[in-house]
Amino acid sequence: MSDILDRVRAANPVAAARGTDLDLFRDIVCSPGDARLAPRRRGRRRWVVAAVAIALVAVGAGAGWAAVSQGPVSLFRSNPQADGSDPSGLWGDQHVIPSSVRDVSAVVVPGVGRVQFWYGETRQGGWCGALRMPDGGWLGTPGVGAGGVVPGCFPTREQVNRQDQVYVNNGFDYAEDDVDLRSSGGGFWRITFGRVTGLRDAARVADLASGTSVPAVDGSLFVIALPDPDPSAQLPVHLVAYDSAGRVVADDRKALDKLRGS
Amino acid sequence: MHTPSDRTPAETRFAEVFDHLPAVVAYARRRGSADPEALAAETMATAWRRLADVPRDEPRPWLLATARNLLWAEWRRASRRRPPDTPAVPDEALANGIDPDLERALLSLSRDEREAVLLVAWDDLSPALAARCLGISATAFRVRLHRARRRLRAALADSDQNIEAADLEVGHA
């Protein structure tokens, strides 16, 4: 029966190429502000992908703080996200405006309870975000959660791009933290939170991959919890924001400029 | 330039995984991805994010399994974008340019059977590695591959008979 496999082999439509792609390697492993990112080529589509990787990986690098019992203003003031960053750089130089800090919304995670999304703005134009567990702990701090970002203050994509063209500006600035309840019979949850600055005010944000949808608060802010049946694989996430008339105002797979023109 | 001497230990480890980028691009292209390079880039970004999960001895099964999940997501999105009055798109596709009879025969297999055949024949995985890619035991994979070969041969035989019959009709005309 090997003749059948031979026939399939002979019909292989694509020979595996050789070689590597150092630009892509760099896009994936470097953090925003990393000197290795400059100079960059522009207008490459795969930056969309790299941006996601950077957003999820690089911001998890901070460590060494005592945030569990802090209040939200204190948490954002101490900005653990910036630990280890250049104090004058984009990540280090984000100072929260205390009056902007608020409890925006919450999601109920089965087995955990109500997880609050706290939000704030910075004097530099960035944003601050953190997820608070029902017991007061902050997701992403040591011992709390199963991974994801360190809470604190972040530059926006626009800010990063002004310094170095890293991101495709799709209107979304968001982060993710994870909760793993599998050892106690529950599930693995990815909680994505952030803000959308789209073509118009957002009324709703949906993940098209899972069909989950949540209201947007203040025309911009959202928190969405997605069950992940297989954390070892890549859970596809496709965020789209809609206005009150159901029109798309941002799509995390499209640059805003392209969305505006479509 | 990002040279090996600049790299952190994690980056050095990831570089070994990243060496398989061409295989992932080829995988995505063979399966008919609309954007094989972007899909491979996303696969590698996932590998970096979850480097601890990527097997050290042989990362290809993990990478191709991740790429396959992304492909399914791509197909689901394509289905969702389909206007309501157009025919359904197949849930899977293959690269253009394949012998139409063989393509029909391959698409007549179940998704799992087809993937078993293609991982071995096109992606050059050993049966043991292909089993890891599919998350099944080596024994289960051998059974699946055996069934797939049998069904594929039957499908191709039907196709050959149809061609012969058509030739005969043309001969009588």
Side-chain angles (χ1 to χ4, degrees):
Chain A
M1 237 187 275
S2 64
D3 57 321
I4 294 297
L5 276 187
D6 288 342
R7 183 167 172 182
V8 180
R9 276 195 189 97
N12 191 342
V14 180
R18 296 184 67 83
T20 189
D21 186 335
L22 287 176
D23 285 340
L24 176 61
F25 183 93
R26 189 183 55 183
D27 286 346
I28 291 174
V29 303
C30 291
S31 312
D34 192 314
R36 293 176 301 185
L37 286 171
R40 304 181 61 87
R41 287 181 279 177
R42 290 169 187 255
R44 302 184 70 174
R45 214 189 132 187
R46 60 190 179 207
W47 285 8
V48 176
V49 175
V52 173
I54 289 166
L56 292 179
V57 175
V59 295
W65 66 92
V68 172
S69 58
Q70 284 178 301
V73 173
S74 171
L75 174 78
F76 291 148
R77 270 186 166 156
S78 63
N79 192 12
Q81 179 57 227
D83 274 7
S85 300
D86 173 5
S88 62
L90 267 181
W91 295 82
D93 189 27
Q94 295 289 341
H95 301 281
V96 68
I97 303 168
S99 61
S100 71
V101 176
R102 58 196 188 274
D103 175 7
V104 167
S105 183
V107 285
V108 175
V109 176
V112 172
R114 197 167 175 269
V115 178
Q116 298 170 327
F117 171 29
W118 283 84
Y119 172 80
E121 291 161 6
T122 73
R123 293 201 300 269
Q124 291 72 24
W127 65 288
C128 308
L131 295 173
R132 192 170 211 179
M133 300 288 273
D135 65 2
W138 296 101
L139 269 176
T141 58
V144 185
V149 306
V150 173
C153 302
F154 312 80
T156 64
R157 289 183 178 218
E158 278 189 359
Q159 284 180 292
V160 175
N161 281 352
R162 277 200 293 273
Q163 187 171 90
D164 193 352
Q165 193 71 30
V166 172
Y167 294 140
V168 171
N169 186 7
N170 55 29
F172 281 92
D173 287 292
Y174 66 92
E176 178 194 298
D177 276 306
D178 305 330
V179 176
D180 188 356
L181 301 171
R182 290 173 297 174
S183 62
S184 55
F188 189 99
W189 291 83
R190 300 184 179 281
I191 308 176
T192 296
F193 60 97
R195 67 183 202 173
V196 53
T197 315
L199 303 182
R200 291 172 292 280
D201 277 358
R204 191 165 59 88
V205 173
D207 168 42
L208 296 188
S210 65
T212 308
S213 162
V214 293
V217 177
D218 297 339
S220 170
L221 308 174
F222 68 94
V223 55
I224 187 166
L226 306 171
D228 186 351
D230 181 12
S232 64
Q234 165 70 356
L235 179 74
V237 176
H238 182 185
L239 296 178
V240 176
Y242 301 90
D243 66 10
S244 56
R247 294 172 296 189
V248 174
V249 297
D251 181 332
D252 75 348
R253 295 187 181 175
K254 279 186 187 168
L256 271 183
D257 287 343
K258 285 189 178 172
L259 189 64
R260 192 175 284 116
S262 64
Chain B
M1 177 56 72
H2 190 195
T3 61
S5 59
D6 296 325
R7 291 175 181 164
T8 65
E11 289 171 2
T12 301
R13 156 108 171 84
F14 178 61
E16 295 169 9
V17 176
F18 194 80
D19 283 345
H20 296 282
L21 176 69
V24 181
V25 174
Y27 174 89
R29 190 163 284 139
R30 288 169 187 141
R31 301 304 191 278
S33 168
D35 194 341
E37 288 192 350
L39 190 139
E42 192 167 352
T43 301
M44 286 299 172
T46 304
W48 170 245
R49 203 160 65 233
R50 303 188 177 179
L51 196 54
D53 296 335
V54 183
R56 284 180 175 271
D57 59 337
E58 175 51 91
R60 272 188 309 162
W62 191 96
L63 291 171
L64 298 191
T66 301
R68 189 172 63 248
N69 289 337
L70 294 171
L71 262 174
W72 286 347
E74 183 181 293
W75 288 322
R76 282 197 296 273
R77 286 194 299 277
S79 297
R80 211 175 276 129
R81 284 196 296 265
R82 176 175 59 90
D85 55 347
T86 58
V89 295
D91 64 347
E92 288 195 41
L94 295 173
N96 291 328
I98 304 169
D99 165 17
D101 290 333
L102 181 60
E103 183 175 22
R104 266 194 299 276
L106 284 169
L107 291 175
S108 73
L109 302 180
S110 73
R111 171 189 281 178
D112 289 343
E113 288 173 344
R114 179 166 56 253
E115 190 65 1
V117 168
L118 297 185
L119 284 172
V120 171
W122 284 2
D123 303 306
D124 205 25
L125 292 189
S126 68
L129 291 180
R132 278 166 62 175
C133 181
L134 296 175
I136 61 178
S137 71
T139 305
F141 180 82
R142 280 196 293 273
V143 171
R144 185 178 294 179
L145 184 62
H146 177 75
R147 285 184 183 149
R149 284 166 146 182
R150 198 171 55 200
R151 284 165 55 91
L152 187 59
R153 189 160 69 167
L156 284 168
D158 285 348
S159 171
D160 290 345
Q161 280 176 359
N162 289 340
I163 291 169
E164 284 173 15
D167 285 347
L168 284 173
E169 285 175 17
V170 170
H172 283 301

